[in-house]
C-alpha cells in the first residue's frame, strides 16, 4: 500500500515536550530565518530523519548547501546532493516533464532542502514551477531571506530561537528541532564505523557449488597440508 504520509517528519516539540510531526509534502514551502548555521542544523535534522524513515522511502530528497556525505551514509534512501540550485531546478523540471508523460502512474514526492541562499531568479523559477506542478508534490525548505518574496503564503520559522514560537498552520507553539554539528558528527562517525564493520574480508563471500563428489569452492583457496591422523585420535576430532 502507498504510504499515506510520506513526508511525515519532526519539526519541533510542544510546550509539554511532545514531538510535533508535519507532512512536509502537503506544503509548497517552509522557510527558515536567522543564522545560516542554525538553518543548516534544521535541514540536517529533517534530512536524516526522512532518510532513515521507512515511510519516506519513496520521497526524493535533494540537499543543497549541506549533506554532501549523506548519499554515502544512507545508500538505501532516495537522497541526492547537488552543488548548485540551478542543478536542482533542472532536475525538477525533467522530473515534472516525465510525470506529465506518465499520467497513469503515481509519482514520488520531491523535497528540496536548501541551506544555501537562493538568488532571486532561482527562487522565482522554483516558485513558478512548484505552483504549476499538479502531478508531483514538491516542497521547498529554504532561507526566507530571498525566497519569502516569491512564497508569500509560506510559513516562516526562526531557526535560531530556542524558545516556543507559533506555527500558524497547526495553531500551536513549538520549539524548532535542530541537530547540532557535534551530534551530527557522532551519527556520521557511527554510520561510517558500522559500514566498515559490515564489510566482509576479501574472499569471505565465495559460494560453494555442487559436484559429483560433494561440494567444492567456486575458486580454490590456498592449499593447506592435511593433518596426519593417528590411530589414537578420537573420532570427534575428524572433520
Amino acid at each position: 500500500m502507498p504510504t499515506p504520509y510520506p513526508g511525515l517528519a519532526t519539526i519541533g516539540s510542544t510546550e509539554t515536550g511532545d514531538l510535533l510531526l508535519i507532512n512536509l509534502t502537503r506544503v509548497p514551502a517552509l522557510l527558515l530565518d536567522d543564522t545560516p548555521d542554525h538553518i543548516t542544523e534544521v535541514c540536517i535534522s529533517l534530512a536524516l530523519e526522512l532518510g532513515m524513515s521507512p515511510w519516506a522511502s519513496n520521497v526524493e530528497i535533494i540537499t543543497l548547501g549541506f549533506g554532501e556525505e549523506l548519499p554515502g551514509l544512507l545508500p538505501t534512501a532516495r537522497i541526492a546532493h547537488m552543488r548548485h540550485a540551478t542543478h536542482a531546478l533542472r532536475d525538477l523540471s525533467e522530473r515534472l516533464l516525465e510525470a506529465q508523460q506518465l499520467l497513469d502512474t503515481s509519482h514520488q514526492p520531491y523535497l528540496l532542502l536548501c541551506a544555501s541562499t537562493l538568488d532571486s531568479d532561482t527562487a522565482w523559477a522554483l516558485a513558478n514551477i512548484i505552483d504549476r506542478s499538479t502531478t508531483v508534490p514538491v516542497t521547498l525548505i529554504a532561507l526566507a531571506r530571498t525566497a519569502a518574496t516569491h512564497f508569500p503564503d509560506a510559513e516562516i520559522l526562526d531557526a535560531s530561537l530556542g524558545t516556543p514560537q507559533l506555527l500558524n498552520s497547526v495553531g500551536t507553539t513549538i520549539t524548532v528541532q535542530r541537530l547540532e554539528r557535534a551530534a551530527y558528527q557522532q551519527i556520521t562517525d557511527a554510520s561510517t564505523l558500522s559500514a566498515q564493520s559490515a564489510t566482509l574480508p576479501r574472499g569471505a563471500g565465495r559460494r560453494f557449488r555442487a559436484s559429483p563428489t560433494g561440494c567444492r569452492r567456486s575458486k580454490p583457496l590456498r592449499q593447506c597440508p592435511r593433518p596426519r591422523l593417528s590411530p589414537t585420535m578420537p573420532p570427534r576430532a575428524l572433520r
Side-chain angles (χ1 to χ4, degrees):
M1 295 180 61
T3 306
Y5 307 109
L8 196 64
T10 306
I11 194 65
S13 58
T14 64
E15 293 180 302
T16 58
D18 297 326
L19 295 179
L20 180 66
L21 288 78
I22 62 173
N23 186 14
L24 294 174
T25 60
R26 290 297 185 94
V27 295
L30 176 64
L31 304 182
L32 303 172
D33 202 4
D34 222 301
T35 63
D37 287 343
H38 288 165
I39 291 173
T40 300
E41 290 174 356
V42 174
C43 290
I44 287 176
S45 175
L46 292 172
L48 274 179
E49 182 173 350
L50 290 170
M52 295 186 291
S53 171
W55 55 71
S57 58
N58 290 329
V59 179
E60 298 282 351
I61 305 171
I62 308 298
T63 64
L64 282 168
F66 77 101
E68 186 175 356
E69 67 285 347
L70 285 178
L73 291 176
L74 304 172
T76 60
R78 302 176 67 93
I79 187 168
H81 170 76
M82 297 187 182
R83 295 184 178 275
H84 302 289
T86 52
H87 298 166
L89 181 62
R90 186 182 308 114
D91 180 72
L92 177 58
S93 301
E94 294 174 354
R95 191 66 51 85
L96 295 180
L97 179 61
E98 179 184 353
Q100 290 178 354
Q101 297 172 348
L102 302 173
L103 296 177
D104 296 333
T105 59
S106 59
H107 303 285
Q108 294 84 3
Y110 194 96
L111 177 62
L112 181 58
L113 295 169
C114 182
S116 57
T117 303
L118 293 173
D119 61 79
S120 183
D121 291 340
T122 305
W124 176 86
L126 285 171
N128 186 42
I129 198 171
I130 290 175
D131 183 63
R132 292 188 291 106
S133 176
T134 57
T135 54
V136 178
V138 183
T139 301
L140 171 69
I141 297 178
L143 281 71
R145 189 173 306 149
T146 54
T149 304
H150 307 286
F151 294 91
D153 298 327
E155 188 98 45
I156 299 179
L157 293 175
D158 189 334
S160 300
L161 194 61
T163 56
Q165 56 184 302
L166 180 63
L167 185 63
N168 291 306
S169 59
V170 182
T172 187
T173 57
I174 65 165
T175 300
V176 175
Q177 177 172 277
R178 302 195 313 262
L179 184 64
E180 296 180 353
R181 291 187 178 274
Y184 177 63
Q185 188 63 47
Q186 291 178 358
I187 293 175
T188 56
D189 291 345
S191 300
T192 303
L193 181 62
S194 176
Q196 291 175 352
S197 301
T199 303
L200 292 175
R202 186 176 180 181
R206 289 176 178 171
R207 297 177 179 272
F208 290 88
R209 67 170 181 261
S211 69
T213 58
C215 291
R216 58 190 177 92
R217 301 180 189 273
S218 58
K219 292 184 180 180
L221 298 178
R222 181 173 58 88
Q223 297 295 327
C224 298
R226 295 184 177 180
R228 296 181 178 180
L229 305 180
S230 64
T232 59
M233 182 176 290
R236 67 170 179 270
L238 300 176
R239 300 293 183 187

